[in-house]
Amino acid sequence: MTRDELLARLQSIEWSDIEFKEASWAVPRDTLTTVSAFANTAGGHLVFGVEQANGAFSVTGVTDADNMQNAFLGQVRDKNKISVFLPINGEVHALAEGIVLVFYVPEASRQQKPVYLDGNPKKAYVRRGARDDTCTSDELLRFIRDADSARFDSEPLLLDAARCFDASSVRWYRERFAVSNPGRDSADDDGTFLRKWGFLVERDGVLRPTRAAIFVLGANEYVRQELPRMVVDVQFYYNTKAGYSPDVRWGDRLMVEENLIKAWHGVVDFFFRHSERPFSIDRITLRRDDDPPDYRSFREAAINLLIHQDFGDATRQPVIRIYRDQIEFFNPGDAFATREQLLDPGDKDLRNPGIVAAFRRIGLSDQGGTGMGAIFAGWRKLGYLPPEIENDKARKSFRLRLVKETLITEPVLRVQTALGIRLTEQEIAVVAFSAQKGRIDITDIKALTEFSGPDARQLVQRLAAQGLLVQQGEGGNTFTLTEKLRLQLVSLPESASTGQATAQVTAQATAQVELDRLSEVQWRIVNYATKPRSLTELLTHTGYRQRQSFVATHLEPLLTDGVLRLTLPDKPRSPNQRYVLTETGIKLKLLHEQQAAGRTEEQKRVEPNL
């Protein structure tokens, strides 16, 4: 942590990746608790010499930096105090108020977790926000299961190999295997095939199915015996995510308690049934060469959810929620890799290697760990913001969101023209992302562009040289828009446009609503909601008095079609709720203005002849 980064964090709050301790004279008693929590979660910085009072931090300094550092490092190297050795690095910062020690505690490997204290596994902690929480019994079991060198899905089960498989699933699998691996299925019967490809293993002279075999190809009763919960729960909602609340009932639902092959068939059929862009597909392979981008992203995300879940966790189940404006995938079991590693090609450390291998053999899981990259690539082709990854190391869960929100907005295109600069497609994407999110880092750039780390850094350096981005902190990986560009985005008149920008916007406009479908009242709303407006303001502006009728007749259709969005989507009934145009709404407004301008020009040409 650099000096600038430390000073910035002192003006912020404690959270999952940093803990401040006064530690003026001695190492605080609860320090190793924080070390355990950081190591079991995602790592973090431990800072000595900072006092917290009334939510604010002030530097008090440590009295003897050398003794303090030696005492702390001595404790974390004592196997009687902490279960594993952690390569903790320390830094000294001499500030005007005193000396501050900063130690970085790295995340432990999955084989080392849970990291616990005093030789007692019940003294293992995880970091949640700014708290160090004791692991629950279920959390301990998840850590222990993931740490085992013998993978959970590879364990042979004491089941009758002649009865525990689903014949139709095995038949489909062999047909798909023959298509994907011409000439490699030479087995005369199913038993020989299953043994050759690792679904059956010999133990004490008897062939036994692995747990992976049951999960992939097992008969229903045997799947339920090994997995006393749903394999996946798929829910479809007619509303947007902003309109979701616990009181909102799904419009359709699929609950699967069968093997993964049947689950995959069911999930695909469910997606086709509710897809906004139906298309034909090979019913045997379930694939086609010209997959639409939205299907490919969904397919890879659904497969990722099915094969990487923690099958030993019976307390939580995978859920796919399909809203009109996004698709959300929740999985019990975190990814062992970081977000950046997930985006890079190459094999990853796997929770269920047997299941992954079974899917790879039939082409339903990309080789070399490229599945996540395919999800991002498909979403990028649609022009949407990159998928959101939430890899929760504390709760050991994984959440992926495919949000249908346009990346390159009309204001960004107009600013590019106003500044008189020419940017590449990737550079525009980086600027647009920074404008929407307020910041960007190297991993974000890799997600936006498919660039390697060095290429991503070169791109951001070019934008910095043009005065568009500025680096946060010396040597940091985070960048923000420059003040100049932020002011351009804020101050550019809403009616400003140029031929070039207009042409680009028109070409990219994918509004879900036709121009002539909007009522006069809805056009008043669209023209007025360029800034966040309250419901009262919209009623007053449009001259409406009946609130309930106004919402049902005019406002809700605009929300449903993605023309408007809520500023507080998680609190739809908040008194602070406001309504503002989405990027689709902005483009719709611009197209409407273009048509109006065109009609005006036509009238000017016609009037002299009257």
Side-chain angles (χ1 to χ4, degrees):
M1 176 179 285
T2 66
R3 177 190 177 93
D4 288 344
E5 290 171 336
L6 172 61
L7 293 174
R9 293 307 296 266
L10 287 170
Q11 303 303 315
S12 183
I13 60 172
E14 282 185 328
W15 201 238
S16 58
D17 61 343
I18 194 165
E19 172 80 13
F20 294 107
K21 295 186 181 296
E22 185 173 359
S24 297
W25 301 92
V27 178
R29 290 184 179 181
D30 62 350
T31 298
L32 291 187
T33 298
T34 302
V35 172
S36 166
F38 279 154
N40 284 327
T41 313
H45 288 92
L46 188 59
V47 183
F48 290 172
V50 176
E51 178 185 29
Q52 181 179 8
N54 300 321
F57 299 105
S58 58
V59 174
T60 54
V62 297
T63 304
D64 190 330
D66 286 340
N67 284 339
M68 183 72 72
Q69 178 172 265
N70 291 336
F72 171 67
L73 294 179
Q75 289 184 19
V76 296
R77 285 171 170 79
D78 187 345
K79 292 296 290 287
N80 294 317
K81 293 183 179 294
I82 192 163
S83 59
V84 301
F85 170 77
L86 298 167
I88 295 176
N89 297 318
E91 297 172 302
V92 180
H93 292 289
L95 304 180
E97 301 88 344
I99 293 177
V100 173
L101 297 179
V102 180
F103 300 95
Y104 180 70
V105 180
E107 179 185 356
S109 67
R110 69 169 177 85
Q111 294 87 352
Q112 294 175 315
K113 296 179 182 180
V115 176
Y116 53 87
L117 308 180
D118 302 329
N120 184 358
K122 292 185 178 180
K123 290 187 176 182
Y125 300 84
V126 290
R127 189 77 172 174
R128 291 193 179 95
R131 302 196 320 268
D132 301 326
D133 289 348
T134 306
C135 286
T136 65
S137 298
D138 285 335
E139 288 169 342
L140 280 176
L141 288 175
R142 292 168 196 153
F143 279 126
I144 293 169
R145 190 163 51 245
D146 285 342
D148 196 342
S149 58
R151 308 311 293 146
F152 182 73
D153 72 330
S154 301
E155 180 183 354
L157 302 175
L158 299 178
L159 299 175
D160 185 350
R163 302 174 57 189
C164 64
F165 288 98
D166 177 72
S168 63
S169 297
V170 173
R171 182 170 57 254
W172 182 89
Y173 187 90
R174 291 192 67 178
E175 290 172 354
R176 177 62 193 147
F177 182 92
V179 172
S180 300
N181 306 274
R184 298 188 67 189
D185 183 4
S186 58
D188 294 329
D189 56 75
D190 290 343
T192 303
F193 175 86
L194 294 171
R195 183 178 184 183
K196 179 178 180 180
W197 295 104
F199 293 104
L200 293 174
V201 295
E202 187 174 336
R203 290 294 183 271
D204 300 324
V206 180
L207 288 176
R208 301 292 187 189
T210 65
R211 186 174 276 111
I214 298 301
F215 289 150
V216 175
L217 299 170
N220 295 348
E221 61 269 29
Y222 292 96
V223 174
R224 287 191 284 269
Q225 177 180 313
E226 291 301 316
L227 188 64
R229 61 158 171 82
M230 280 185 275
V231 174
V232 63
D233 180 5
V234 192
Q235 303 167 12
F236 172 79
Y237 294 87
Y238 290 105
N239 53 283
T240 63
K241 177 63 184 293
Y244 171 78
S245 73
D247 299 329
V248 175
R249 182 178 173 83
W250 36 262
D252 194 7
R253 189 178 189 184
L254 172 70
M255 297 180 287
V256 182
E257 297 181 86
E258 301 170 304
N259 66 47
L260 293 176
I261 294 300
K262 289 185 175 181
W264 170 237
H265 280 266
V267 169
V268 170
D269 286 340
F270 190 91
F271 178 78
F272 289 167
R273 189 157 68 246
H274 297 290
S275 174
E276 296 178 359
R277 294 163 54 186
F279 50 87
S280 61
I281 193 167
D282 189 306
R283 302 301 297 172
I284 298 296
T285 65
L286 297 182
R287 299 190 72 171
R288 56 183 262 184
D289 293 336
D290 59 338
D291 292 333
D294 56 346
Y295 172 65
R296 177 151 194 217
S297 293
F298 177 86
R299 180 193 73 200
E300 295 297 335
I303 290 174
N304 182 76
L305 175 139
L306 290 174
I307 67 180
H308 293 302
Q309 61 182 281
D310 183 355
F311 288 96
D313 187 346
T315 64
R316 303 176 297 174
Q317 60 198 22
V319 181
I320 302 175
R321 290 189 175 93
I322 304 174
Y323 303 97
R324 292 200 55 161
D325 61 343
Q326 67 175 269
I327 308 174
E328 182 176 291
F329 302 80
F330 169 81
N331 230 6
D334 58 319
F336 297 146
T338 64
R339 176 171 175 259
E340 183 171 10
Q341 291 167 341
L342 288 171
L343 294 174
D344 289 334
D347 289 323
K348 312 294 189 299
D349 191 7
L350 301 173
R351 174 175 282 105
N352 305 307
I355 293 173
V356 172
F359 269 64
R360 280 184 177 177
R361 290 190 200 104
I362 59 173
L364 285 182
S365 178
D366 287 325
Q367 300 290 335
T370 58
M372 193 60 65
I375 296 171
F376 275 69
W379 219 238
R380 187 162 48 246
K381 288 180 181 178
L382 289 172
Y384 293 139
L385 282 168
E388 300 172 2
I389 291 176
E390 184 181 309
N391 191 27
D392 193 327
K393 297 284 187 175
R395 293 177 174 81
K396 293 192 74 65
S397 63
F398 187 87
R399 196 180 301 271
L400 175 71
R401 296 184 184 89
L402 304 179
V403 182
K404 299 177 182 179
E405 184 175 351
T406 303
L407 170 62
I408 300 176
T409 65
E410 185 264 341
V412 170
L413 294 173
R414 286 194 283 158
V415 164
Q416 179 192 200
T417 303
L419 292 175
I421 56 177
R422 181 177 295 276
L423 300 177
T424 66
E425 179 181 347
Q426 292 81 7
E427 289 170 341
I428 294 173
V430 169
V431 171
F433 184 91
S434 304
Q436 293 197 42
K437 297 298 183 180
R439 56 174 294 281
I440 194 168
D441 59 29
I442 297 299
T443 303
D444 293 326
I445 296 172
K446 292 170 68 173
L448 286 163
T449 63
E450 272 189 303
F451 282 0
S452 65
D455 288 342
R457 188 165 289 280
Q458 287 182 7
L459 184 152
V460 78
Q461 288 172 348
R462 289 198 302 272
L463 293 175
Q466 295 181 71
L468 302 179
L469 293 183
V470 60
Q471 190 173 34
Q472 299 301 298
E474 185 180 350
N477 285 326
T478 302
F479 300 80
T480 60
L481 296 180
T482 60
E483 187 67 20
K484 171 185 175 182
L485 187 52
R486 281 201 299 271
L487 290 174
Q488 283 286 141
L489 285 168
V490 171
S491 63
L492 193 68
E494 293 177 6
S495 60
S497 62
T498 65
Q500 178 185 355
T502 299
Q504 289 174 300
V505 172
T506 303
Q508 293 185 22
T510 56
Q512 300 170 10
V513 184
E514 297 176 8
L515 294 178
D516 57 2
R517 279 179 49 196
L518 269 63
S519 66
E520 182 180 349
V521 171
Q522 287 175 322
W523 276 121
R524 291 180 191 172
I525 295 172
V526 169
N527 290 324
Y528 187 57
T530 53
K531 298 178 181 179
R533 307 291 188 182
S534 68
L535 180 56
T536 301
E537 288 176 315
L538 293 175
L539 283 165
T540 302
H541 181 74
T542 56
Y544 235 87
R545 294 185 179 181
Q546 298 297 324
R547 179 181 296 244
Q548 186 173 357
S549 173
F550 176 77
V551 171
T553 306
H554 302 293
L555 202 57
E556 284 189 351
L558 293 176
L559 289 167
T560 300
D561 286 331
V563 177
L564 289 182
R565 65 176 176 85
L566 302 176
T567 58
L568 298 174
D570 297 330
K571 301 176 181 179
R573 296 177 178 85
S574 170
N576 296 320
Q577 187 65 258
R578 298 292 184 270
Y579 302 81
V580 68
L581 291 181
T582 63
E583 299 311 322
T584 294
I586 292 172
K587 292 175 181 178
L588 196 69
K589 179 177 180 292
L590 184 63
L591 290 174
H592 187 243
E593 291 173 352
Q594 291 171 359
Q595 285 195 359
R599 287 192 295 268
T600 301
E601 289 298 322
E602 182 64 24
Q603 289 173 354
K604 289 180 180 178
R605 288 194 296 270
V606 172
E607 284 175 356
N609 298 322
L610 293 180

